[in-house]
Amino acid sequence: MTRSVYVTGIGRGDGRQVVELGVMELLTRRIDRVGVFRPLAHDAPDPLLDLLRSRYRLVQPPGSMVGLRYDEAAVLQAEKGTDELISQLVDCFHGVAKDYEAVLVLGTDYADTGLPAELALNARIANELGAAVLPVVAGLDQSADSVVADVRNAHHAFTSLGCEVIAMVANRVRDSHAAEAARALGHHLPEPVYVLPEEPALAAPTVQQVVDELGAEVLLGDPAGLARDCRNFVFGGAMLPTFLPALTEGCLVMTPGDRADLIIGSLAAHSAGAPPIAGVLLTLDQRPGDETMALAARLAPGTPVLAVPSGSFPTAAELFALEGKLNATNPRKAEIALGLFESHIDSKQLTERLAVVQSDRVTPMMFEHELIERSRSVRRNVVLPEGTEERVLRAAEVLLRRNICNLTLLGEDAAVRKRAADLGVNLNLLGPDEIAEGPGATARVVDPATSPLRERFAELYAKLRAHKGATYELAYDVVADVSYFGTLMVQEGLADGMVSGAVHSTAATIRPAFEIIKTKPEASIVSSVFFMCLSDKVLVYGDCAVNPDPNAEQLADIAIQSAATAAHFGVEPRIAMLSYSTGTSGTGADVDKVRQATELVRQHRPDLLVDGPIQYDAAVEPSVAATKLPGSPVAGQATVLVFPDLNTGNNTYKAVQRSAGAVAVGPVMQGLRKPVNDLSRGALVQDIVNTVAITAIQAQERGV
């Protein structure tokens, strides 16, 4: 039977989209096919449904996600009664449920719905759908007594109407006393009570939202600038010396368009990083002159300058009514929401209460979820040498929001902070001597050029490379390079792992590791694997990134290492040693190399399942295996595929990635004493997040 959960509220302003997104995240970690159903919806675009479709790659037809529009429901209820309304909604739901293992049901929003007794209607719908209920109560600006009363009343209301309540959520709670009171209430209710604090970054509208809501004209600004959060509004009227101290980080400056002094002063302050602003909004339909706009563009490239025809007062009234929204166009907000959800809700407990059964299939998203969960179980510190690269900074924000690991960003402190501010990325970077407070993941910046560690690292590198003629003077220059500096941090235990390669070449990333960290005693070679996440399983490809033409001994070592990596990440290793022939059907130097490597694997690790030489189709397709290599314990069900050379492996992984729509996670380096991983220079933000998570897990394995 399909399991469904009904997320609902008791009024407006509860911010339950955070909970709906979080529950969807929990469901997709466990099962492959999750549907979404909103029984009643407004006749307007639905940003949350768009976000769920985009983020979770839903193939569910959009039309099936909605039952009826509110106006249709109101007419139907008035003419034929509530029973007929419920009957039609149930029919729509079952049209969805038959195709999915679980369904997330989104309750009504209490916003001009035209429906009487809305809470009771939500309860009735949930009961008729057979859905467990997760009520969300708004705690914004509420006292401790009010929050407790609202949670208790909501619980009583839904249980008295026959609902299966699995937990209660108090959301947007600002006061620490109110949060503690709500948590304490959980000891007196049969279900757990979770408390989510108000998150300013979620409540803050983006500059793009200001543009959309006010119909503002964009005079200057790029997409990154328009994605910045407006954390505050500062209204300019005073003279510049009085005005500048009023600026706050992330504020949107509103000033009449003829105040060139305030416009240039604000942008100059942003350029200096004191403080970085979200942008400038000009009122009264005034435009600065061409010279002023040209100077503004040079002072703060990408920073938005907007214009509206209305005056300051009506514009301010509209601004203060704006709140941040979760939608598909701003994935950063979704990561913030998930970070909030995961930090304050016991995911394991709630997953158990959702009572969904783990799928046998392993989808790309389920594999990525597992990486995130494992990486945060024991928090490690990963160094990112490319501290001013946009994708790295955006990935860093996700890593910190999701509490995946602590980070060290390499680069000049002022440059890293300014680049983050320009991108609207909030990392809450610690100062050089600042001690982290609280349980969350943290980040700090280290500048290799000025760090006190530079002299220590130079001495160490000169000693390690003395046999190559390295002197202290040479080493002092070498260790200022971010790749070498980051590698030395890992070697010296000042970081647990390193990830680089978004802008550096593979050689620049791994050469320092070869020189400094070196291979593990049991490994004869450093190699790599990709986790190839297909629609229903995960395969491990090795080596597709490092070794051009390994000999038989090296190929055997790659196979053994790849099997260990696969097992460590939950993939049962069945090794296929790939060639252009299967079994004894072919001869030649290339086939003989693979045949010899296969025998070496059997000699060194008789416990491993391995077969070869074998062609790719015989390795993964049971029907082909039955003909070409019958009786093999590997053929047709291989999970670790070892390619004979880099040319074959690299082309194959890219062909499968692009043609089959597989998600390629890696390359993951193996054979080093401590974890250093390389990125593709075309890596996306999520690729960087996954690679850092893998690096943190590798560090956990080594106990560093």
Side-chain angles (χ1 to χ4, degrees):
M1 178 179 176
T2 299
R3 179 62 168 169
S4 57
V5 57
Y6 195 106
V7 182
T8 184
I10 60 173
R12 299 184 64 177
D14 54 31
R16 90 182 75 130
Q17 294 84 0
V18 173
V19 180
E20 292 165 336
L21 182 65
V23 171
M24 187 68 173
E25 187 84 1
L26 294 182
L27 291 173
T28 55
R29 288 178 190 174
R30 300 278 296 175
I31 52 182
D32 175 24
R33 293 180 292 112
V34 181
V36 179
F37 182 64
R38 190 186 288 283
L40 298 166
H42 294 284
D43 188 15
D46 193 320
L48 183 66
L49 289 184
D50 291 342
L51 171 61
L52 296 178
R53 275 199 298 269
S54 171
R55 181 177 181 84
Y56 298 102
R57 307 162 196 158
L58 302 182
V59 296
Q60 180 182 351
S64 72
M65 292 183 173
V66 175
L68 296 171
R69 298 196 312 269
Y70 282 113
D71 56 349
E72 295 175 327
V75 171
L76 182 62
Q77 188 176 34
E79 293 181 353
K80 298 187 177 181
T82 301
D83 287 349
E84 180 60 27
L85 169 62
I86 298 296
S87 176
Q88 289 199 24
L89 294 178
V90 170
D91 287 344
C92 293
F93 169 79
H94 285 301
V96 174
K98 64 182 176 62
D99 296 323
Y100 297 95
E101 299 169 82
V103 179
L104 171 63
V105 187
L106 312 176
T108 66
D109 60 12
Y110 296 86
D112 302 320
T113 62
L115 297 170
E118 206 161 331
L119 187 150
L121 179 63
N122 278 290
R124 172 80 185 278
I125 295 171
N127 288 338
E128 297 295 347
L129 301 184
V133 176
L134 181 58
V136 182
V137 174
L140 189 62
D141 296 328
Q142 298 277 359
S143 67
D145 290 343
S146 295
V147 172
V148 167
D150 284 350
V151 171
R152 192 187 298 274
N153 289 337
H155 180 269
H156 174 74
F158 282 104
T159 54
S160 66
L161 291 168
C163 295
E164 176 197 354
V165 174
I166 55 172
M168 301 291 300
V169 177
N171 190 29
R172 305 190 70 183
V173 178
R174 284 184 181 168
D175 184 85
S176 60
H177 297 295
E180 184 56 39
R183 274 188 289 270
L185 178 60
H187 298 298
H188 303 285
L189 293 179
E191 295 81 30
V193 177
Y194 304 119
V195 182
L196 276 62
E198 171 75 340
E199 171 54 70
L202 283 177
T206 62
V207 178
Q208 182 63 61
Q209 189 180 341
V210 171
V211 172
D212 296 339
E213 295 292 334
L214 301 186
E217 179 184 355
V218 180
L219 305 181
L220 294 174
D222 60 19
L226 293 170
R228 296 177 191 171
D229 290 333
C230 301
R231 300 184 215 168
N232 191 15
F233 302 110
V234 174
F235 302 94
M239 299 303 292
L240 187 60
T242 306
F243 171 73
L244 287 177
L247 296 178
T248 59
E249 185 171 342
C251 70
L252 180 67
V253 174
M254 189 173 77
T255 181
D258 58 359
R259 289 297 302 272
D261 58 332
L262 300 185
I263 298 168
I264 296 302
S266 300
L267 296 174
H270 174 87
S271 181
I277 65 173
V280 179
L281 175 62
L282 309 179
T283 61
L284 297 174
D285 209 18
Q286 296 288 317
R287 305 290 191 278
D290 292 342
E291 297 83 359
T292 301
M293 292 303 295
L295 178 58
R298 290 196 299 272
L299 272 175
T303 297
V305 177
L306 319 175
V308 293
S310 57
S312 297
F313 184 79
T315 302
E318 290 188 74
L319 288 177
F320 283 123
L322 290 182
E323 281 199 345
K325 295 179 180 178
L326 294 179
N327 56 55
T329 62
N330 192 350
R332 176 174 167 268
K333 292 275 191 190
E335 295 295 347
I336 294 171
L338 287 173
L340 178 69
F341 183 88
E342 292 167 346
S343 297
H344 295 87
I345 283 184
D346 186 335
S347 298
K348 181 179 179 181
Q349 181 188 49
L350 183 55
T351 300
E352 291 173 351
R353 297 190 68 81
L354 290 172
V356 291
V357 179
Q358 181 80 41
S359 293
D360 294 330
R361 289 156 52 95
V362 179
T363 67
M365 187 163 293
M366 292 166 71
F367 182 72
E368 290 175 358
H369 287 326
E370 180 64 20
L371 290 180
I372 301 304
E373 284 297 303
R374 289 183 61 185
S375 61
R376 64 157 66 99
S377 63
V378 180
R379 189 176 302 145
R380 296 302 186 186
N381 179 18
V382 177
V383 59
L384 305 177
E386 297 154 326
T388 57
E389 161 62 27
E390 176 178 349
R391 290 164 295 158
V392 170
L393 288 170
R394 294 196 183 281
E397 185 178 37
V398 174
L399 291 160
L400 296 173
R401 291 284 186 182
R402 304 290 297 275
N403 283 312
I404 293 172
C405 63
N406 296 328
L407 299 174
T408 300
L409 300 169
L410 299 187
E412 183 188 359
D413 186 82
V416 173
R417 291 176 185 272
K418 184 177 185 304
R419 182 63 171 146
D422 286 341
L423 295 170
V425 169
N426 184 17
L427 303 179
N428 291 320
L429 293 168
L430 297 174
D433 302 316
E434 188 176 355
I435 298 175
E437 296 181 2
T442 59
R444 64 178 73 243
V445 180
V446 174
D447 184 355
T450 60
S451 171
L453 293 170
R454 185 175 178 182
E455 293 182 2
R456 169 182 161 185
F457 286 174
E459 292 176 358
L460 174 61
Y461 184 76
K463 182 178 179 180
L464 289 171
R465 304 295 290 175
H467 65 289
K468 294 291 186 179
T471 63
Y472 174 83
E473 290 73 22
L474 173 65
Y476 190 76
D477 290 335
V478 169
V479 301
D481 177 88
V482 290
S483 296
Y484 277 91
F485 193 93
T487 304
L488 283 158
M489 288 188 71
V490 176
Q491 174 66 15
E492 289 296 278
L494 301 173
D496 300 316
M498 185 181 88
V499 173
S500 188
V503 292
H504 290 91
S505 67
T506 295
T509 298
I510 65 176
R511 185 187 297 115
F514 290 163
E515 294 179 2
I516 297 165
I517 294 176
K518 305 184 185 302
T519 58
K520 295 188 290 188
E522 66 271 22
S524 65
I525 191 173
V526 174
S527 61
S528 71
V529 296
F530 279 90
F531 291 100
M532 300 300 295
C533 303
L534 305 177
S535 61
D536 60 349
K537 60 186 173 183
V538 177
L539 300 178
V540 177
Y541 284 12
D543 172 12
C544 305
V546 179
N547 298 286
D549 189 18
N551 59 33
E553 291 76 13
Q554 292 170 332
L555 201 59
D557 192 84
I558 291 170
I560 292 170
Q561 289 187 54
S562 299
T565 301
H568 184 60
F569 286 93
V571 178
E572 182 182 352
R574 293 185 291 273
I575 309 168
M577 306 295 287
L578 298 177
S579 179
Y580 59 78
S581 72
T582 295
T584 59
S585 66
T587 59
D590 292 338
V591 180
D592 292 341
K593 178 181 78 169
V594 174
R595 185 174 290 117
Q596 182 184 353
T598 304
E599 290 305 316
L600 288 171
V601 173
R602 288 173 175 152
Q603 291 174 23
H604 295 312
R605 290 291 304 277
D607 57 308
L608 291 175
L609 294 177
V610 60
D611 217 335
I614 186 171
Q615 292 162 290
Y616 190 100
D617 57 349
V620 300
E621 176 52 51
S623 61
V624 177
T627 301
K628 291 189 174 183
L629 208 60
S632 168
V634 172
Q637 51 184 338
T639 57
V640 178
L641 297 110
V642 180
F643 295 89
D645 54 57
L646 184 60
N647 180 52
T648 307
N650 192 269
N651 277 296
T652 302
Y653 109 75
K654 289 182 177 176
V656 173
Q657 179 186 31
R658 300 301 176 186
S659 300
V663 175
V665 179
V668 178
M669 306 299 292
Q670 51 191 17
L672 289 168
R673 291 176 183 267
K674 295 185 178 183
V676 171
N677 282 311
D678 182 36
L679 296 166
S680 164
R681 274 171 281 182
L684 303 175
V685 170
Q686 190 58 43
D687 298 331
I688 299 173
V689 171
N690 289 338
T691 304
V692 172
I694 284 173
T695 306
I697 295 169
Q698 289 177 315
Q700 293 170 2
E701 174 193 19
R702 289 163 172 78
V704 298

